[in-house]
Amino acid sequence: MIRRRSGVIDFFNGLTSGYDTAGKLITDYKLSQVANAKPEQQTDTTYQGMTGGLDQQDIPTTTKYNYLGQTFDAQPTQGQMDKARLSAMSGVYDQMGDPLKAIQLRQQSSQADLLNHQVNQANRQEKDQATRDTVDNDVGAYIKQNQKINPDGTVQPPDDTTLASAAKLRAIKLADNGMFDEALKAANQGMQYSTNVIQNQTQERSNALKPAVSAAMQGNFEPLKTFYNTYIPDGAQI
């Protein structure tokens, strides 16, 4: 016996098929909007606290960029736009009842964040190493310039006074480049060299200090300046 198709079943099958087609069209339309979105520049004018008459060009303004529901203080980078795009696409799939696809896109976004972090970290390490190389070259040139020459023409090893000044120079240059932890280590190393100098020159310094102070009390500060420049190993000269 041949069974006849149910008209009711055909009706619901057609309705479901039509719903799926319409849902896909809506999803595709929303995804195309996300794909074609461009950053929009927004300029805000601040009048709060202003008094008196100012020309239009003198009014404080703030420029921001809006992209797919996110706000950036500067023109968003390609990486920032890719992340915002994935977030917006996952939101579309959430709205259209496809949570699995939304989860997959969020996982892609997390992987992209991890990759960007690794790339940025590698770039920072490369930049820091280039800074160290430049600083070390400068410090090495300073040490070489201040090394003493023996009568036979050979170069003496750098003494603690030179090394103390070199460490101070290295600390300053590292700090100028934002490498504060390494700058602190260099400064501590310089202090150790300075301590060595002070300990090694105790008797000599004591013998030189008394006449320098005596001359200063009589208005002659040259011996005191010489004492400072000779026995205070901080790299400074007066």
Side-chain angles (χ1 to χ4, degrees):
M1 181 177 66
I2 300 176
R3 294 185 177 180
R4 299 182 58 185
R5 290 176 58 86
S6 170
V8 174
I9 294 176
D10 288 343
F11 170 78
F12 281 108
N13 285 340
L15 184 63
T16 301
S17 177
Y19 177 81
D20 290 342
T21 300
K24 185 177 183 306
L25 289 175
I26 294 173
T27 300
D28 290 346
Y29 171 72
K30 289 180 176 291
L31 291 176
S32 68
Q33 286 185 311
V34 172
N36 295 324
K38 304 293 182 184
E40 297 179 355
Q41 182 175 326
Q42 175 184 337
T43 301
D44 295 328
T45 302
T46 304
Y47 294 96
Q48 184 177 1
M50 292 175 53
T51 59
L54 291 176
D55 295 336
Q56 185 68 29
Q57 62 181 6
D58 295 327
I59 297 177
T61 59
T62 301
T63 300
K64 294 185 179 296
Y65 294 84
N66 297 322
Y67 183 68
L68 294 173
Q70 299 187 27
T71 302
F72 302 89
D73 293 330
Q75 176 76 30
T77 64
Q78 186 61 49
Q80 289 173 323
M81 289 193 294
D82 289 343
K83 181 180 179 181
R85 192 178 298 113
L86 284 174
S87 178
M89 291 173 66
S90 67
V92 169
Y93 283 111
D94 270 334
Q95 293 175 0
M96 301 308 297
D98 192 346
L100 181 59
K101 188 67 175 178
I103 291 173
Q104 291 174 343
L105 289 175
R106 292 192 184 99
Q107 289 175 341
Q108 291 181 25
S109 179
S110 297
Q111 292 172 353
D113 285 345
L114 178 60
L115 179 60
N116 287 334
H117 174 73
Q118 292 173 340
V119 170
N120 291 336
Q121 188 175 33
N123 289 338
R124 284 195 299 270
Q125 291 175 347
E126 184 177 351
K127 180 181 177 182
D128 287 349
Q129 187 57 52
T131 299
R132 290 189 200 96
D133 292 342
T134 299
V135 170
D136 288 343
N137 286 338
D138 292 344
V139 173
Y142 174 84
I143 292 175
K144 184 177 181 180
Q145 181 181 356
N146 287 274
Q147 283 181 276
K148 297 178 181 179
I149 307 297
N150 293 317
D152 62 359
T154 58
V155 180
Q156 296 183 12
D159 56 22
D160 284 341
T161 299
T162 300
L163 293 176
S165 299
K168 179 181 178 181
L169 175 64
R170 189 171 195 273
I172 292 173
K173 286 182 174 291
L174 289 172
D176 287 342
N177 285 276
M179 302 173 68
F180 299 108
D181 289 341
E182 295 186 39
L184 180 59
K185 292 179 181 178
N188 289 335
Q189 187 179 40
M191 291 176 62
Q192 182 59 53
Y193 285 127
S194 297
T195 300
N196 293 341
V197 172
I198 292 172
Q199 291 175 345
N200 294 333
Q201 294 179 339
T202 299
Q203 186 60 48
E204 182 180 349
R205 187 176 58 256
S206 297
N207 293 338
L209 180 59
K210 185 175 180 180
V213 172
S214 177
M217 293 178 65
Q218 297 176 21
N220 180 11
F221 294 97
E222 287 302 319
L224 192 60
K225 288 170 59 177
T226 301
F227 176 88
Y228 182 93
N229 293 334
T230 303
Y231 296 106
I232 307 300
D234 63 351
Q237 296 287 299
I238 61 173

